Amino acid sequence: MINMVFLGPPGAGKGTQSEQIIKDFGIVQVSTGDILRKAVKDGSELGKLAKQYMDEGKLVPDDVIIGIVKDRLKEKDCQNGFILDGFPRTIPQAEALDKMLKDDLNISLTHVISLEVDDGKIIERLTGRRTCPQCGRGYHISFDPPEKQEICDECNTQLVQRDDDKEETIKKRLNVYHEQTEQLKDYYRKQSILTTVDGEKTPDEVYKNIKDILS
Ligand code: AP5
């Protein structure tokens, strides 16, 4: 059973690596960023609230995000294992996660993997990131381009750039990561479940390291 948390700055490759892990290990990815972006697209109350924070590169309030994850982890498809991508991002979120796993689900985390990438590389990566709004596949215009320019290989849909992937917002997201999220490495190091992985290698090399850790 793999119950995993993916840590790392924005653009470290958490989404890219999760696509491969869920295929090979038959577990689900729970991305709080994806859940919030869907809520924004649907125009729900959650989406309206979240958009204000996301557009400014700030974190959505802890109580909102903790409630979302709590409901999602109770769903049946999480029972065979999960990757938490983008959660927790603060100490209160990490404490709430420990409590909900223990009290509500009677399980614990098996792995916390932190992808390590320098801030300079992050900006290069995120300004070139494109996503398919139809099937969700991610690309990079230089490192992982689609066959036809700006068109998804899987479903022929025009690719889009995320609203928060503007350079100014990326810098704010990086500051939030260093101030509020990076300390979670110590939190999980103390629980002896943290492994750090060099995220600056090619996606295939990074995946090989992750697969070795999970196997
Ligand atoms: P979220 O969606 O979680 O964004 P993030 O953590 O900033 O991470 P990203 O999805 O941007 O990056 P990634 O690591 O998945 O990188 P990717 O694989 O795409 O959160 C967005 C917002 O939602 C937050 O700012 C916040 O407002 C809110 N939110 C979410 N969760 C929250 C929470 N728990 N609490 C409060 N608020 C929350 O890769 C990036 C690019 O690099 C791609 O183009 C890819 O092709 C390329 N790439 C990947 N790996 C490599 C490699 N090895 N070499 C070269 N290029 C690579």
Side-chain angles (χ1 to χ4, degrees):
M1 172 77 95
I2 295 171
N3 299 328
M4 165 182 161
V5 163
F6 232 147
L7 290 180
K14 304 181 293 292
T16 304
Q17 297 299 327
S18 293
E19 281 180 26
Q20 198 59 44
I21 299 170
I22 60 175
K23 272 190 209 153
D24 286 355
F25 290 89
I27 59 178
V28 293
Q29 174 196 14
V30 176
S31 160
T32 42
D34 286 349
I35 293 171
L36 294 172
R37 276 185 291 280
K38 182 171 184 308
V40 172
K41 199 172 159 200
D42 294 347
S44 67
E45 285 308 310
L46 168 66
K48 285 178 200 155
L49 172 87
K51 190 170 179 358
Q52 303 163 28
Y53 294 94
M54 294 169 83
D55 284 352
E56 288 189 36
K58 292 181 183 163
L59 295 183
V60 171
D62 284 340
D63 56 338
V64 174
I65 210 84
I66 289 166
I68 291 171
V69 174
K70 205 169 184 174
D71 290 344
R72 181 68 186 89
L73 288 181
K74 282 182 188 158
E75 287 177 34
K76 206 166 172 230
D77 62 344
C78 291
Q79 286 173 9
N80 295 327
F82 53 80
I83 305 170
L84 283 170
D85 166 6
F87 181 92
R89 270 174 143 96
T90 63
I91 295 286
Q93 289 183 19
E95 289 170 346
L97 175 64
D98 282 346
K99 191 169 176 335
M100 72 177 88
L101 293 179
K102 184 167 174 272
D103 296 352
D104 301 346
L105 299 166
N106 200 22
I107 55 174
S108 52
L109 291 175
T110 55
H111 302 81
V112 177
I113 296 181
S114 174
L115 287 179
E116 306 291 311
V117 181
D118 273 357
D119 287 6
K121 283 234 167 28
I122 294 294
I123 293 174
E124 189 185 10
R125 283 190 186 182
L126 289 185
T127 48
R129 172 165 60 183
R130 300 291 183 273
T131 314
C132 174
Q134 187 65 31
C135 70
R137 181 166 165 192
Y139 296 87
H140 190 281
I141 52 170
S142 312
F143 308 130
D144 179 22
E147 280 172 25
K148 279 189 258 168
Q149 203 180 353
E150 303 282 336
I151 301 290
C152 180
D153 293 345
E154 309 288 336
C155 61
N156 229 22
T157 305
Q158 177 81 39
L159 302 179
V160 294
Q161 184 172 31
R162 266 169 52 174
D163 288 341
D164 59 354
D165 278 348
K166 297 182 197 104
E167 190 164 338
E168 195 189 322
T169 315
I170 296 167
K171 285 180 179 161
K172 288 184 190 161
R173 288 162 61 201
L174 277 168
N175 283 341
V176 169
Y177 172 76
H178 292 305
E179 283 167 14
Q180 298 191 58
T181 308
E182 203 167 16
Q183 56 187 315
L184 291 179
K185 285 196 274 180
D186 280 336
Y187 181 90
Y188 288 118
R189 201 172 275 125
K190 283 182 193 148
Q191 295 187 11
S192 306
I193 48 172
L194 177 83
T195 315
T196 56
V197 168
D198 180 357
E200 294 195 8
K201 295 183 178 166
T202 66
D204 286 348
E205 287 169 331
V206 175
Y207 184 63
K208 191 180 172 304
N209 286 343
I210 292 174
K211 203 171 176 185
D212 285 346
I213 294 163
L214 297 179
S215 296

